[in-house]
């Protein structure tokens, strides 16, 4: 369970996140949608305490992130594809993170196996393809077997096989009763993966609803999304007519 | 204990990079090699042979200093810092764990380098010169404190890395602060020169007897006061780095 209450973050005169309130519930995949620059990544960073809010608060299971004693055992996060040192092997990277939260060493091999990186685990992670880097990020997020998962654009740059792998993984994790919060700007991907949606534009909440409700009355989820976010895109291109 | 777990994480991170071991190996080899070369060139017994044997410590320090910088800035350039802070959200604990692990490793390596350099140089002195032994006045102190300097300059580098965050800029600040400023200070503010890290090392830590050269020398610090000054520099850099780490966005 993630609860954001009036969450606000400004950078100079720009308001990146503007009095944002929403809940993310366990047992389903919740998609976090919004145009580029709408504040999705900033919100994710605020949830993890990497950035401090100017106002409001966000709690995970009733507590702030930095109050968690062993955070990886409660929250797993993947914020960027390559959050690892290029000179370190995947196994050492995960072993270091595991040691930091007193997670048994055997869990490292389990998650490597789970994401299909066992054979590449000893190689320097700097040589990894984007897809392998994403898998390593997912492995790190799953290390502590957390009840809450946060993934920022997990399918970015993945091939179709990788996209399907992420999709199946997310739905099975949610089916186990976990809270799964996934940001994306790919509406079609969210249409097939998510049950609930939190939609933001210019840092403000536009909708907190189910996929079914949002698409009802529109031709598609995409059409509903554009109607919702029409006023909040940062740089609108002209419609092309042919 | 969360802080012990944080230290274990930092130890795995430090030892799992090949560059760590290369840099430390070159530090020892360089310190011993230069000490040997300068020791062999000691032509008379009136020179401070211990100081000559430890001549490689000054250039060697640069390597542990740079390694300290990169241990911190490498986290920023690779994005690992966000993974690290997700594991240990209390940022002061992160830097303290890093400093403890890095300090312990560079202390061991620094002492190994200083002792090896001393014994290598003292067993190869020219015929007719009496080699110093660790039992001679001030000799053991000079070796041990020179070895400790690797750790202290390394921690200074780590703190600077946390303050500056960019590898090249932080290395620049370290080199300027440790090796370049001394030239300027020595020229314009003669008495302050005694407080410069390199001169502390050369004239306070690695000597067996007080250095005097009359008017052309400032009043150098005693060995222990010199050690205190270097420790103070490291502590200031680490405290400032920790303060900024806790306040800035990652």
């Amino acid at each position: 369970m993630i609860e954001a209450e009036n969450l606000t973050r400004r950078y100079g005169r720009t308001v990146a996140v503007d009095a944002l309130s929403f809940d993310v519930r366990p047992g389903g995949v919740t998609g976090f949608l919004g145009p580029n620059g709408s504040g999705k990544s900033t919100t994710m960073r605020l949830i993890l305490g990497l950035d401090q809010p100017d106002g409001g608060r966000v709690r995970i299971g009733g507590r702030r992130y930095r109050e968690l004693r062993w955070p990886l055992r409660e929250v797993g996060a993947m914020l960027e594809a390559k959050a690892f040192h290029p000179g370190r092997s995947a196994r050492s990277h995960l072993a270091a993170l595991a040691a930091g939260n007193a997670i048994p060493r055997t869990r490292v091999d389990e998650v490597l196996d789970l994401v299909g990186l066992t054979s590449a685990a000893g190689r320097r992670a700097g040589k990894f393809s984007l897809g392998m880097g994403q898998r390593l990020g997912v492995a790190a997020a799953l290390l502590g077997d957390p009840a809450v998962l946060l993934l920022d654009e997990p399918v970015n740059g993945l091939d179709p096989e990788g996209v399907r792998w992420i999709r199946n993984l997310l739905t099975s994790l949610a089916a186990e009763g976990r809270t799964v919060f996934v940001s994306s700007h790919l509406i079609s991907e969210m249409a097939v993966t998510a049950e609930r949606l939190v939609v933001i534009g210019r840092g403000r909440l536009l909708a907190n609803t189910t996929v079914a409700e949002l698409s009802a009355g529109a031709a598609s989820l995409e059409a509903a999304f554009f109607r919702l976010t029409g006023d909040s895109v940062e740089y609108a291109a002209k419609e092309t007519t042919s | 204990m969360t802080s012990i777990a944080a230290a274990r994480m930092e130890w795995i991170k430090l030892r799992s990079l090949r560059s760590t071991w290369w840099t430390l190996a070159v530090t020892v080899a360089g310190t011993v090699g230069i000490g040997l070369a300068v020791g062999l060139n000691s032509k008379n017994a009136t020179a401070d042979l211990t100081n000559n044997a430890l001549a490689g410590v000054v250039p060697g320090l640069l390597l542990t200093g740079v390694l300290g910088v990169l241990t911190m800035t490498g986290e920023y350039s690779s994005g690992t810092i966000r993974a690290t802070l997700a594991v240990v959200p209390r940022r002061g604990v992160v830097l303290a764990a890093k400093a403890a692990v890095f300090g312990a490793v560079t202390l061991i390596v620094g002492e190994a380098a200083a002792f090896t350099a001393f014994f290598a140089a003292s067993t190869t002195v020219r015929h007719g010169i009496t080699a110093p032994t660790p039992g001679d006045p001030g000799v053991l102190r000079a070796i041990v404190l020179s070895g400790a300097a690797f750790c202290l300059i390394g921690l200074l580098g780590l703190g600077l890395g946390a303050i500056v965050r960019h590898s090249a800029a932080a290395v620049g600040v370290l080199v300027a602060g440790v090796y370049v400023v001394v030239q300027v200070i020595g020229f314009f503010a003669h008495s302050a020169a005694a407080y410069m890290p390199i001169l502390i090392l050369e004239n306070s830590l690695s000597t067996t007897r007080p250095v005097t050269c009359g008017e052309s020398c400032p009043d150098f610090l005693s060995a222990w006061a010199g050690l205190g000054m270097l420790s103070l520099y490291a502590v200031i850099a680490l405290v400032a780095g920790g303060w900024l780490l806790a306040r800035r966005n990652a």
Side-chain angles (χ1 to χ4, degrees), chain A residues 52-71:
Chain A
Q52 293 306 305
D54 293 304
R57 60 185 193 178
V58 58
R59 315 227 151 197
I60 302 160
R63 283 176 300 161
R64 292 192 309 161
Y65 190 86
R66 66 171 54 199
E67 290 164 5
L68 305 174
R69 181 169 151 83
W70 303 118

Side-chain angles (χ1 to χ4, degrees), chain A residues 17-29:
Chain A
V17 174
D18 192 357
L20 195 57
S21 298
F22 62 86
D23 289 351
V24 184
R25 291 169 214 167
V29 176

Side-chain angles (χ1 to χ4, degrees), chain B residues 31-242:
Chain B
T31 305
V32 173
I34 294 170
L36 206 52
V38 176
L40 280 171
N41 277 316
S42 302
K43 291 191 179 66
N44 60 70
T46 58
D48 187 342
L49 295 174
T50 304
N51 187 252
N52 290 355
L54 296 170
V57 173
V58 167
L61 289 176
L62 182 62
L63 290 168
T64 45
V66 170
L67 188 61
V69 166
L70 295 180
T71 297
M72 198 65 217
T73 56
E75 295 239 347
Y76 285 98
S77 58
S78 65
T80 315
I81 187 70
R82 285 173 283 282
T84 299
L85 294 179
V87 177
V88 183
R90 285 157 64 213
R91 298 182 181 187
V93 174
V94 170
L95 192 61
K98 255 191 205 306
V101 168
F102 186 76
V105 169
T106 48
L107 183 62
I108 292 166
V109 171
E111 294 298 350
F115 273 95
T116 311
F118 173 78
F119 285 114
S122 60
T123 50
T124 54
V125 285
R126 290 181 179 213
H127 190 69
I129 297 176
T130 317
T133 69
D136 296 341
V139 171
L140 189 60
R141 184 196 65 209
I143 304 168
V144 170
L145 296 194
S146 299
F150 286 94
C151 162
L152 295 174
I153 298 296
L155 291 174
L156 174 66
L158 188 71
L160 288 175
I163 295 167
V164 180
R165 296 191 286 185
H166 298 282
S167 303
V171 168
V173 171
L174 177 78
V175 173
V178 174
Y179 291 85
V180 181
V181 172
V182 60
Q183 314 293 342
V184 184
I185 295 279
F187 197 74
F188 290 107
H190 195 61
S191 58
Y195 294 89
M196 295 297 106
I198 285 305
L199 296 186
I200 288 175
L201 189 95
E202 286 174 338
N203 301 298
S204 302
L205 298 191
S206 67
T207 53
T208 57
R209 48 188 185 242
V211 175
T212 46
C213 45
E215 279 297 300
S216 60
C217 283
D219 294 326
F220 291 114
L221 302 172
S222 74
W224 295 106
L227 187 76
M229 267 328 284
L230 284 192
S231 306
L232 185 64
Y233 293 145
V235 166
I236 290 171
L238 286 170
V239 168

Side-chain angles (χ1 to χ4, degrees), chain A residues 9 45 49-52 65-66 69-72 80 82-88 92 95-97 99-101 124, chain B residues 1-2 5-6 8-9 12-14 16-18 74 78-80 82-83 85-91 248-250:
Chain A
R9 181 69 173 106
R45 292 164 46 76
L50 293 173
D51 205 335
Q52 293 306 305
Y65 190 86
R66 66 171 54 199
R69 181 169 151 83
W70 303 118
L72 295 196
E80 60 207 302
K82 298 218 160 179
F84 47 77
H85 196 290
R88 200 173 277 129
S92 297
L97 302 185
N101 269 185
R124 297 209 280 172
Chain B
M1 274 294 288
T2 52
R8 289 193 57 219
M9 169 171 74
I12 296 175
K13 282 199 283 191
L14 188 65
S16 60
L17 289 178
R18 269 188 251 171
S78 65
T80 315
R82 285 173 283 282
L85 294 179
V87 177
V88 183
R90 285 157 64 213
R91 298 182 181 187
R248 292 196 287 215
N249 301 326

Side-chain angles (χ1 to χ4, degrees), chain A:
Chain A
M1 179 84 160
I2 303 168
E3 299 152 285
E5 246 183 81
N6 269 320
L7 206 54
T8 302
R9 181 69 173 106
R10 296 181 205 92
Y11 296 105
R13 297 181 61 185
T14 320
V15 185
V17 174
D18 192 357
L20 195 57
S21 298
F22 62 86
D23 289 351
V24 184
R25 291 169 214 167
V29 176
T30 302
F32 191 24
L33 277 176
N36 287 338
S38 57
K40 300 189 295 294
S41 294
T42 302
T43 306
M44 290 279 197
R45 292 164 46 76
L46 289 169
I47 297 172
L48 292 175
L50 293 173
D51 205 335
Q52 293 306 305
D54 293 304
R57 60 185 193 178
V58 58
R59 315 227 151 197
I60 302 160
R63 283 176 300 161
R64 292 192 309 161
Y65 190 86
R66 66 171 54 199
E67 290 164 5
L68 305 174
R69 181 169 151 83
W70 303 118
L72 295 196
R73 300 195 200 171
E74 298 181 51
V75 184
M78 185 182 82
L79 290 199
E80 60 207 302
K82 298 218 160 179
F84 47 77
H85 196 290
R88 200 173 277 129
S89 71
R91 184 176 280 116
S92 297
H93 174 70
L94 294 173
L97 302 185
N101 269 185
I103 293 163
R105 183 69 175 70
T106 49
R107 182 64 185 159
V108 170
D109 293 321
E110 278 176 37
V111 292
L112 280 167
D113 198 40
L114 192 68
V115 303
L117 278 181
T118 303
S119 60
R123 276 163 50 191
R124 297 209 280 172
K127 307 264 182 232
F128 279 12
S129 66
L130 183 58
M132 291 165 83
Q134 297 275 50
R135 284 170 187 264
L136 179 53
V138 172
L142 295 174
L143 204 51
D145 197 14
V148 176
L149 280 146
L150 297 177
L151 299 115
D152 198 4
E153 307 278 1
V155 299
N156 254 12
L158 289 186
D159 59 10
E161 197 275 323
V163 172
R164 192 177 59 175
W165 174 73
I166 287 273
R167 194 188 292 157
N168 292 341
L169 181 74
L170 295 181
T171 39
S172 67
L173 289 167
E176 290 165 15
R178 298 177 213 257
T179 305
V180 182
F181 193 41
V182 186
S183 86
S184 183
H185 55 260
L186 300 175
I187 303 146
S188 52
E189 190 49 40
M190 287 296 104
V192 291
T193 319
E195 281 167 37
R196 298 194 59 87
L197 289 176
V198 172
V199 186
I200 65 170
R202 292 190 187 276
R204 287 168 178 269
L205 186 71
L206 299 176
N208 183 359
T209 177
T210 63
V211 171
E213 260 177 65
L214 190 62
S215 12
S220 65
L221 183 66
E222 195 178 55
F225 174 81
F226 284 132
R227 196 162 62 196
L228 202 58
T229 60
D231 296 331
S232 16
V233 286
E234 222 176 356
Y235 303 103
K238 275 186 187 157
E239 290 282 332
T240 46
T241 47
S242 54

